[in-house]
Amino acid sequence: MSDSTTFPSTPQSESITTRNRVFYDQLWSGAKLIRPQSFHTWKMFSGMAREAGRRLEIGPGLRPRLPLEGTDFFDLSSEAVRQLRRAGGSARTGSASDPLPYEDATFGLVCALDIVEHVEDDHAVLSEIARVAAPGARLIISAPLHADRWIPFDDLVGHCRRYDPDVFFAMLESNGFTIEESAGYGMQPKSSRLLDFGMRFLAWRPREGMWWYNNIFMPIGLMFQSELKFAPGTEHTRNLDEVLLICRKTG
């Protein structure tokens, strides 16, 4: 992993939390909040939210997937928290690497999309999620799979790892979560040439690169979202680059 694949203002000597905070504060400072109704997850997730009572979304940035009203949001970026609050959400600033500032068994639904791969101690993060989830609560969680598929994009967005599917599923089960459904997920660029060009452009002109991501590539990505195709269990997920899981706290 060369230095050229890391966002230029975040030296490798800094902690992963600090690097992620700098990257996402810069990303979100030039972005507008995209409301959850814009995503292909809305119909399913909003229905789950209505059934859940109190709910928590960890690390939504400016792309929340649960309803703004009635959801607690917890994010590393102060810029994201500021905009979530301005839009009517209840949001706190903090790192998923630290204990969550909520009481035990508080939430009937927890959403943590693209979070566990960003932190050094992913076991502690899952333990905290299990702590604040009420008995019978649902967990919506996603993660990138297969270490041998690591690409510069993983460096750029602050990933610590990709997961072996069996290891990731076992981690969830060891924290009391039963996997009910799974689907392919993610908005990682499919074209390696486009991705390489984007990486070079970000290294050369980071501010302009962020503008293009927020104002051009993200809206295009929203237009071409693929339908989520859920299936019971996890057997169909072995060849996916990223997986989205619906779990139930049963342990």
Side-chain angles (χ1 to χ4, degrees):
M1 302 174 202
S2 66
D3 291 345
S4 64
T5 61
T6 302
F7 192 69
S9 62
T10 56
Q12 291 286 1
S13 59
E14 293 183 318
S15 71
I16 187 66
T17 299
T18 300
R19 299 207 316 265
N20 279 330
R21 181 182 290 112
V22 170
F23 177 86
Y24 285 101
D25 270 341
Q26 292 189 2
L27 178 65
W28 301 137
S29 65
K32 295 181 180 178
L33 175 74
I34 297 179
R35 292 182 176 269
Q37 292 90 335
S38 299
F39 294 96
H40 57 357
T41 53
W42 172 249
K43 183 176 180 180
M44 182 178 189
F45 289 7
S46 61
M48 294 168 63
R50 286 192 297 270
E51 300 171 0
R54 193 171 176 187
R55 52 194 184 260
L56 170 67
E57 185 167 355
I58 302 170
L62 294 180
R63 311 292 185 251
R65 303 307 172 92
L66 297 185
L68 288 172
E69 184 177 351
T71 301
D72 287 271
F73 296 101
F74 186 74
D75 198 272
L76 181 65
S77 168
S78 57
E79 175 61 26
V81 167
R82 183 183 69 81
Q83 291 202 44
L84 287 165
R85 288 174 176 171
R86 189 170 64 185
S90 174
R92 298 189 191 187
T93 305
S95 170
S97 297
D98 299 326
L100 295 171
Y102 307 102
E103 298 294 327
D104 295 358
T106 296
F107 300 103
L109 174 64
V110 179
C111 181
L113 301 180
D114 298 317
I115 298 300
V116 290
E117 69 271 21
H118 286 269
V119 297
E120 292 179 290
D121 192 348
D122 50 351
H123 293 273
V125 173
L126 288 174
S127 178
E128 275 295 285
I129 290 174
R131 180 184 65 80
V132 301
R138 277 179 166 149
L139 169 64
I140 305 168
I141 191 167
S142 68
L145 303 178
H146 308 294
D148 60 355
R149 298 185 189 179
W150 188 278
I151 58 173
F153 180 81
D154 293 288
D155 284 309
L156 174 68
V157 298
H159 289 174
C160 292
R161 68 189 67 80
R162 283 177 168 267
Y163 287 92
D164 175 273
D166 290 332
V167 170
F168 185 51
F169 303 154
M171 287 175 60
L172 288 164
E173 291 170 4
S174 70
N175 281 281
F177 291 105
T178 298
I179 298 169
E180 296 184 335
E181 297 180 89
S182 57
Y185 185 65
M187 297 183 70
Q188 177 180 308
K190 300 298 183 184
S191 168
S192 60
R193 290 184 178 180
L194 178 62
L195 180 60
D196 289 344
F197 172 77
M199 296 291 297
R200 293 192 189 99
F201 191 76
L202 273 169
W204 177 49
R205 302 290 291 272
R207 187 177 298 276
E208 289 87 346
M210 292 294 191
W211 185 92
W212 275 86
Y213 172 80
N214 284 315
N215 294 281
I216 304 298
F217 296 123
M218 188 66 194
I220 291 174
L222 289 172
M223 291 173 59
F224 291 97
Q225 293 177 93
S226 300
E227 181 183 357
L228 288 174
K229 298 179 180 179
F230 281 93
T234 61
E235 287 305 312
H236 71 297
T237 67
R238 305 299 169 174
N239 294 318
L240 295 176
D241 284 327
E242 185 167 4
V243 67
L244 174 63
L245 302 171
I246 307 298
C247 308
R248 181 80 67 173
K249 186 180 178 185
T250 55

